[in-house]
Amino acid sequence: MASYQSYSFFDENSCIIAWFGTMTNIEEQKQALAKKDEFIGIASHELKTPLTSLKGYMQLISAYKQNELPPIIKQFAGKANEAIGKLANLVNDLLDVSKIQMGKLEFNTSLLNISDLINICIESAQFMYPNYIISVHGDKDGRATGNMERLEQVLMNLISNAVKYSPVHKDIHIVTEVTETEVKVSVEDFGIGLSDYQKERIFERFYRVEDNTYATSGLGIGLYISSEIVKAHNGKIGVTSKLNEGSTFYFILPIHE
């Protein structure tokens, strides 16, 4: 398979004075991406089993004769559990990417209230990010048809990104807007913002925002997965942003009739 592009050059009378064409074979690129996706799928599945066992053993260690454990051991066990939790999230994200590429990102849906979704995420976010002020604005009474767990994954990802890229300004606003046909949930921060180029690529697989001032971690797949989840709900996802002023990520779902 080949990719074809042409370029034309005109004089002041709009007459063509030169024309160039290029053809690039992209089959090798497609095969390389397919092998990469296959490796991701196999590796993430293989990691899942020992990671689950490790998590179980750490829980047993943490619970074993708590009163007899030295404080330093309790501290180390807690740190280990935190690290295991982060690793488990990465593996789950890789599994989601694999499912998306194979067209197998499937989930059950039911009627849900947006207020329930927001309340669950606010409770989790306040526990995870106690130094941030997360406030809710707008109408939370919209109802939609969807999967609560997957939509929670989307909203928590947007909140986590807002925290990650707002190291100075600690205010984060969650805004809901309900119309007769749709419900819109936005997460607004006042952080480093995005350039026009970054906004165009932010939902691509493995794309990460690189900033010379603030170092961030991650694989660059959270927003890609969120985008695919929202699309699977027949919804839309997007972002508005200005450099050094902040970003507003949002998703829109059809209202339940």
Side-chain angles (χ1 to χ4, degrees), residues 63-249:
Y64 181 73
K65 295 183 178 180
Q66 274 286 333
N67 295 331
E68 299 179 13
L69 288 176
I72 190 66
I73 299 300
K74 294 179 182 179
Q75 180 182 350
F76 289 160
K79 294 292 185 181
N81 278 320
E82 290 179 11
I84 291 171
K86 292 178 181 178
L87 182 57
N89 289 336
L90 290 175
V91 171
N92 288 333
D93 282 348
L94 289 173
L95 281 170
D96 280 344
V97 170
S98 178
K99 291 176 183 177
I100 290 169
Q101 294 305 301
M102 293 187 295
K104 295 182 179 180
L105 185 65
E106 300 174 349
F107 43 79
N108 296 323
T109 61
S110 61
L111 176 63
L112 57 88
N113 197 308
I114 295 301
S115 64
D116 294 334
L117 170 66
I118 292 176
N119 289 337
I120 291 172
C121 292
I122 286 289
E123 183 177 354
S124 299
Q126 288 176 336
F127 174 78
M128 295 169 62
Y129 313 113
N131 295 326
Y132 283 76
I133 301 172
I134 304 174
S135 56
V136 182
H137 308 267
D139 184 1
K140 297 192 298 179
D141 293 331
R143 298 194 299 171
T145 300
N147 182 280
M148 179 67 81
E149 183 177 343
R150 285 298 187 177
L151 292 176
E152 180 184 346
Q153 181 180 352
V154 172
L155 184 52
M156 284 304 300
N157 183 266
L158 299 188
I159 294 173
S160 297
N161 274 346
V163 169
K164 183 188 299 185
Y165 293 106
S166 302
V168 178
H169 300 283
K170 306 295 184 179
D171 290 318
I172 295 174
H173 299 166
I174 299 178
V175 182
T176 57
E177 303 171 58
V178 180
T179 69
E180 294 182 356
T181 58
E182 62 188 27
V183 54
K184 179 180 180 180
V185 181
S186 304
V187 178
E188 180 184 15
D189 67 64
F190 305 91
I192 65 175
L194 299 170
S195 66
D196 290 339
Y197 175 76
Q198 290 168 335
K199 284 187 288 185
E200 290 178 359
R201 300 196 58 191
I202 194 65
F203 295 106
E204 292 181 9
R205 183 170 45 142
F206 301 120
Y207 179 76
R208 295 176 68 245
V209 173
E210 300 292 344
D211 184 84
N212 295 328
T213 306
Y214 305 107
T216 60
S217 60
L219 298 176
I221 55 180
L223 287 174
Y224 167 73
I225 294 171
S226 296
S227 174
E228 294 298 320
I229 291 173
V230 171
K231 290 177 183 176
H233 281 80
N234 297 317
K236 303 174 185 177
I237 193 167
V239 60
T240 59
S241 182
K242 288 186 178 181
L243 275 177
N244 303 316
E245 294 186 18
S247 302
T248 299
F249 283 86

